[in-house]
Amino acid sequence: AQSVAQPEDQVNVAEGNPLTVKCTYSVSGNPYLFWYVQYPNRGLQFLLKYITGDNLVKGSYGFEAEFNKSQTSFHLKKPSALVSDSALYFCAVRGPTGTASKLTFGTGTRLQVTL
Amino acid sequence: EPEVTQTPSHQVTQMGQEVILRCVPISNHLYFYWYRQILGQKVEFLVSFYNNEISEKSEIFDDQFSVERPDGSNFTLKIRSTKLEDSAMYFCASSPRGQGTEAFFGQGTRLTVV
């Protein structure tokens, strides 16, 4: 069975500082990895994905993520955080089997960016 | 930009009543999903739907739940006899293709069972 772990319930960072939100995964075969963001009382918005190729993927709003196969990690990063980045971030994995395969989400990490 | 739309945004129902949550996926998408999120908790998979049939369902998706694509645009989730523990935010999602593509989520329906 596939699974995702987000070890931090909350990450606090000052505006302008770099941020990292951690994610590790477990899946059979090659993973398809995703990051989503959720603002209060809103749905999930897609940020970026890793399917294959370059281990560093770039996404929306200046976010990027680094895929590390040996560590089975897919950490979300941003060089300079903004207060408006404060939200709930979910890492998700989709297994290679089954064409309609489900996304399995982590428990989410709340990012708090302060002035 | 095309988006997944869900109605209603908030539904309050009495325990034991039937509810139908409605979704209009993005028009050229082929894969449809329902997820739920109990307040403050993780997003849980309920069911996936492709080619007019269920592809996969979780253990949460028991006989009280059903899905339907009654026409070319709508995708519904029915809960036959609601329980207090069904209170959650329900998200519909769709994908244009399978595994390698992201799913696009609607804004959700907050279901409150009283």
Side-chain angles (χ1 to χ4, degrees):
Chain A
Q2 58 200 44
S3 65
V4 173
Q6 293 182 244
E8 304 152 317
D9 289 337
Q10 180 154 329
V11 169
N12 298 307
V13 64
E15 187 173 57
N17 283 358
L19 69 88
T20 298
V21 182
K22 295 179 181 176
C23 169
T24 57
Y25 67 90
S26 173
V27 70
S28 299
N30 293 321
Y32 301 116
L33 295 158
F34 303 82
W35 275 101
Y36 284 82
V37 60
Q38 184 180 34
Y39 296 99
N41 300 312
R42 303 295 298 274
L44 296 157
Q45 288 179 239
F46 168 74
L47 276 181
L48 50 78
K49 66 182 178 183
Y50 172 81
I51 304 302
T52 186
D54 194 349
N55 289 342
L56 185 66
V57 293
K58 294 186 185 297
S60 307
Y61 313 120
F63 284 92
E64 57 190 31
E66 186 165 13
F67 171 66
N68 187 314
K69 188 172 184 177
S70 63
Q71 297 185 1
T72 60
S73 67
F74 189 56
H75 300 332
L76 181 70
K77 299 173 189 261
K78 188 174 182 181
S80 179
L82 298 171
V83 172
S84 56
D85 293 329
S86 298
L88 190 55
Y89 289 81
F90 289 97
C91 181
V93 65
R94 195 174 233 176
T97 56
T99 55
S101 53
K102 64 187 181 188
L103 283 166
T104 297
F105 287 87
T107 50
T109 297
R110 188 163 301 282
L111 174 66
Q112 187 70 45
V113 182
T114 52
L115 289 170
Chain B
E1 185 175 328
E3 59 182 17
V4 176
T5 56
Q6 290 185 244
T7 54
S9 57
H10 191 187
Q11 171 110 33
V12 181
T13 188
Q14 290 200 325
M15 192 168 53
Q17 294 296 303
E18 175 183 286
V19 295
I20 298 176
L21 310 183
R22 302 180 191 279
C23 169
V24 179
I26 295 173
S27 64
N28 61 344
H29 286 191
L30 301 177
Y31 301 86
F32 313 112
Y33 309 86
W34 283 100
Y35 292 81
R36 79 173 185 190
Q37 184 182 33
I38 295 173
L39 187 62
Q41 298 186 25
K42 68 187 294 185
V43 179
E44 301 174 293
F45 168 76
L46 291 177
V47 65
S48 59
F49 192 86
Y50 169 69
N51 202 24
N52 286 319
E53 62 182 21
I54 291 175
S55 300
E56 185 178 1
K57 57 184 180 180
S58 72
E59 60 275 9
I60 302 169
F61 194 88
D62 61 20
D63 292 343
Q64 294 299 316
F65 291 87
S66 62
V67 289
E68 213 175 39
R69 189 157 161 81
D71 53 40
S73 60
N74 290 286
F75 180 50
T76 62
L77 174 69
K78 182 192 292 187
I79 309 174
R80 194 178 3 260
S81 178
T82 50
K83 303 187 279 281
L84 293 176
E85 53 265 38
D86 294 327
S87 295
M89 182 74 94
Y90 287 81
F91 292 108
C92 174
S94 67
S95 293
R97 297 179 302 281
Q99 305 149 0
T101 57
E102 61 271 28
F104 294 82
F105 284 77
Q107 300 287 69
T109 293
R110 181 170 297 284
L111 177 65
T112 303
V113 183
V114 297

